[in-house]
Amino acid sequence: MSPEEPTAQVSRRLFLRTGALGTAGLLGVSSHAAWSPLLAQRGLLTPDGVFSAVGTALADAVFYTEHFPISPLILHPFQDQLPVPRALTPVALSDVRGWSLPPGPGLGEQSSLRNERHQKWPSQVGYPDPIVYHIELLVRPHSWTTSKVLPIDGEGRPTESFDREGRVFAPGTERTLPPSTIYGFNGTFPGPMINAEYGRPVLVRFVNRLDENPYDLDRQDFGAPDWSFLTHLHNGHTAPESDGNPHYAMTMGPRRMGYLPGSWVDNLYLNWPAGGDEREKQSFFWFHDHRMDHTGSNVYKGMVGLYPIYDPSNGTDMGDERRGLRLPGVRTDRPDGAFDVAYDIPLALHDLRLDDGVTPHHDIHDTQGDFPGTGNPAEHPEWWGTTFFKHFPNHGFVGDVFGVNGVAYPVLQVKRRKYRFRFLDASVARIYELALMSSTQGPRSAASLGYVDDELQGQYRIPDGQQCMRFTQIASDGGLLPFPLVRDSFELWPAKRREVVVDFTRYLDGSPTTKGDVVYLTNVMKMPDGRMWESSSRSSPDAAYKVPILKFVIGDTAPDDSQVPRVLRPLPPLPPRWKDLMPNRLIFEVKRGALGGETEWLINGEPFEPDSVARSLRNPAGRRPLAEQRMGSFNLWEIRNGGGGWVHPFHLHMEEHRTVMRNGRDVTTTPQSGHPDDVSREDLASLDPNGSVVVYRGFRDFVGPYVAHCHNLAHEDHSMMFGWSITP
């Protein structure tokens, strides 16, 4: 092969990430000499040869059609009841013993591959054997709403629609949405909820049955093409073999991107705080897919589950408002070994788009031939009204329909008392800012108010909406705060959790509520794409953007023994001289790359390499250390946003961190106004445009490979991730 041929400079890594069909397409484009002057003018001719030729300037033309459908308008929002999940039933011990391959601590007892063992069994930390759960990955139908819908176009006008049989329905025809296809934990979205407790380990056997399709559903063109999965308990203090991360999966265990159909894996969650330190206890995890390159599509397809974790030590936070901190919750222990907690409700927020039948399906996965049965690039009128997804990496996918717990615009009947709500942003890229509002006139469709295109996102507005209540925040990603924070509104970034108490007995002005009153959980952050918000309370607020997501209807008064204490849980202390660690900190910069395609997003200028650990940028001490930490050590890591007007929700696996500096300022005593949660422990750093954070975190109890990545899942899936490890 001559040096003049562009493939001479194609690395094996980039070839594999693009795929044979994609590479062939690239060669076809790059082989034309006529492209060279244009590419040179745009700065696309670099040592990476042909792959630079498919950078930003060519991505849209060759790999993507950057166009998204307008979802049909849900005509009767806030009629469907909010699903309040019931705790999953554990498997009876007698049934577990009857399994042909029961769980255990021995070699080969960690998965169906029979090649790994659990690094630390509960007995090694003085805990009993785990409670066992069985969860299957299933292909199932899912309905987002029972309401009739009206197909509309980007101008908000009625438009035609279609069905699977090829019939065309005239503009103005009201329709019932067909069910969408999900890949769900036990076949639901969100999947099951496991109510866990510290001191009571949990083992979940995840079984892949995604090759089965008993309802003969159309799988469409998103979700891992090989139907594999990799479950991550976000952000459990967990050994690598149970962490569900690609750095482990690609080098150990399955030695591929995920667990294939027919296989199973036992993920062991010790429910043991880092270092055995009571101050490290958390309160709300979630589990989701982490399959390399298709995390976003698998999560959007339904792989989301809930995992509240309670603290029974001295009754501190065990779901019983008569004991300990007395946070809202009335606990009922069930004969099947699970327990439920009334007035303590997880709220998983998500956004989605529904196919309009005329928007082209065209992205790099079609070029690679990942979904050969679809005929893409193509329009799909037969998919009208079902969930639409595009792997498009540049901005990150955002939807125009907002849902909670798997239902679009639900309603929740609440008693006149205090509630604990556990918020989760399960969206691919969207950030929310949430407020509690009243409205005399009620919701009006954005189309009827004259909005068009991106302004139709959210579908409804409450033009006369006014804040009527406050949130009392009691927890963030890392568990209970040191003290409660009273909030008029709060931001919720992808994968973040925020726990709040809402008192439905009185309004902001002190007046009492009455039966039948209505309060709307309202999003006031306008975010037309995944780049960042266009307006929010802390940046160019738009007084007209008030999108109701969930309707609360206040009912009868109920007994309430709960309270919000002045002090919750103390933070683990920082070392007095933590700033002495600054010169030797590890530094990682997240930034968009120039290559396009599957390596759109980079860290320290490099794409994710699943078989190695990353290296820091040069630190003030003049070193570039590897991202390897000794077990039991603590260190400072800096995460920088490389600019471009993007925001990045950056997640570090395994332990929580404490933000000590933001944008070069010490925030250990006084956080910056836009990030009051910096007073807490978190597992995800919110990076504003051009911002940076320095975090202090530990590396305790386990050894092996982990990852850190952007939780805008389009960024993660297109290489904004790095491997790191804990060494003995």
Side-chain angles (χ1 to χ4, degrees), residues 136-337:
E136 297 180 335
L137 278 297
L138 302 174
V139 181
R140 290 293 185 268
H142 181 82
S143 294
W144 303 108
T145 180
T146 62
S147 168
K148 291 282 189 178
V149 300
L150 177 67
I152 58 174
D153 62 17
E155 301 295 317
R157 299 171 302 199
T159 189
E160 63 184 14
S161 59
F162 315 90
D163 69 10
R164 293 186 65 178
E165 284 69 42
R167 289 179 293 183
V168 180
F169 295 80
T173 305
E174 296 182 6
R175 301 284 307 280
T176 298
L177 287 178
S180 293
T181 301
I182 65 166
Y183 294 173
F185 295 113
N186 283 351
T188 65
F189 177 71
M193 180 176 74
I194 295 174
N195 275 346
E197 292 182 286
Y198 277 101
R200 301 184 70 194
V202 160
L203 183 145
V204 184
R205 175 162 293 187
F206 291 99
V207 182
N208 190 343
R209 294 179 58 190
L210 292 176
D211 56 327
E212 303 172 19
N213 190 356
Y215 294 86
D216 193 27
L217 300 171
D218 193 325
R219 294 176 181 265
Q220 300 179 265
D221 57 358
F222 63 96
D226 62 356
W227 306 334
S228 64
F229 82 99
L230 188 65
T231 305
H232 170 54
L233 181 65
H234 182 127
N235 190 47
H237 183 54
T238 306
E241 71 276 2
S242 294
D243 182 59
N245 77 76
H247 189 20
Y248 166 81
M250 293 290 286
T251 55
M252 302 177 180
R255 297 187 182 275
R256 58 183 304 128
M257 295 179 179
Y259 292 93
L260 291 171
S263 64
W264 55 262
V265 60
D266 287 348
N267 282 1
L268 175 60
Y269 308 130
L270 289 177
N271 297 335
W272 176 56
D277 188 339
E278 295 278 323
R279 296 166 297 189
E280 295 280 0
K281 289 182 174 177
Q282 297 154 277
S283 54
F284 186 25
F285 301 135
W286 65 302
F287 51 96
H288 64 81
D289 185 72
H290 212 311
R291 194 270 197 197
M292 182 174 153
D293 295 345
H294 285 273
T295 297
S297 60
N298 274 4
V299 169
Y300 183 78
K301 195 112 182 178
M303 295 190 196
V304 171
L306 306 171
Y307 196 100
I309 182 165
Y310 295 85
D311 180 10
S313 177
N314 300 314
T316 300
D317 183 22
M318 61 180 296
D320 184 349
E321 63 190 32
R322 296 165 300 177
R323 300 181 59 186
L325 294 174
R326 298 183 59 186
L327 296 169
V330 175
R331 175 168 170 154
T332 302
D333 292 318
R334 298 186 343 220
D336 61 13

Side-chain angles (χ1 to χ4, degrees), residues 78 411-414 436-440 442-443 462 466 468-469 504 507 513-521 548 550-555:
F78 308 112
V411 60
L412 175 65
Q413 316 289 330
V414 295
L436 295 168
M437 291 190 170
S438 60
S439 170
T440 302
I462 44 175
Q466 298 288 329
C468 64
M469 291 180 178
F504 286 109
Y507 290 111
T513 59
T514 59
K515 184 175 181 178
D517 287 356
V518 170
V519 176
Y520 292 98
L521 178 70
L550 169 62
K551 177 181 178 179
F552 297 107
V553 179
I554 298 175

Side-chain angles (χ1 to χ4, degrees), residues 70 176 215 261 430 500 526 664:
I70 301 295
T176 298
Y215 294 86
R430 183 177 293 280
V500 302
K526 185 192 297 184

Side-chain angles (χ1 to χ4, degrees), residues 105 120-130 201 268 270:
K120 191 166 288 188
W121 195 250
S123 58
Q124 294 174 252
V125 297
Y127 280 3
D129 282 349
L268 175 60
L270 289 177

